[in-house]
Amino acid sequence: MVPESHEASILLFSYGTLQDKAVQLANFGRELTGRPDAMTGYVQHWVDITDPEVLKTSGKAKHPIVFASYDPKDEVPGMVFEISQKELQAADSYEVSDYKRVSVLLKSGVHAWVYIKA
């Protein structure tokens, strides 16, 4: 079966607001479907959001943020979404400067992009 789009799909892992329907509609113009997964060796904290557009889109003044703990017992649950290159660029624009995008190996064994503490 040939996918509708000829564009290769990109895996994006979200542990935070990119899982919210309103955030997905605002950034991607559609609701994403995903599957549960987790990041191992990371811990989650919170960051204060001051960007007015991000505040308006998410409705939240604090967003979760993760950073490496290097302890394999630490785990951050979330969802893996298949998105396009254009949608990845939209996600890059949505994330504030507290975050940077990196590729991680998820618990399931797949590599995905994720936003972690910059």
Side-chain angles (χ1 to χ4, degrees):
M1 190 163 133
V2 178
E4 247 179 66
S5 168
H6 297 301
E7 192 171 349
S9 63
I10 294 164
L11 296 180
L12 177 67
F13 179 77
S14 172
Y15 54 85
T17 60
L18 286 173
Q19 295 179 71
D20 295 349
K21 181 180 177 181
V23 171
Q24 292 175 1
L25 291 172
N27 286 286
F28 311 126
R30 67 183 180 106
E31 191 174 352
L32 304 179
T33 52
R35 60 185 184 276
D37 211 327
M39 295 172 65
T40 54
Y42 285 83
V43 291
Q44 180 179 302
H45 288 270
W46 296 91
V47 65
D48 292 318
I49 299 298
T50 56
D51 182 287
E53 280 303 305
V54 175
L55 282 167
K56 189 175 103 183
T57 304
S58 74
K60 297 177 174 88
K62 286 191 179 292
H63 286 196
I65 195 164
V66 299
F67 59 88
S69 68
Y70 306 104
D71 184 341
K73 294 189 296 283
D74 289 333
E75 190 173 291
V76 176
M79 296 288 285
V80 178
F81 300 108
E82 286 188 30
I83 61 171
S84 68
Q85 182 64 43
K86 185 177 173 190
E87 288 169 330
L88 184 62
Q89 291 167 342
D92 285 346
S93 296
Y94 168 73
E95 295 296 351
V96 295
S97 62
D98 298 284
Y99 296 87
K100 66 179 178 182
R101 177 165 48 93
V102 298
S103 179
V104 295
L105 179 63
L106 298 175
K107 191 174 184 177
S108 66
V110 301
H111 282 91
W113 289 112
V114 66
Y115 295 95
I116 67 169
K117 183 172 175 51

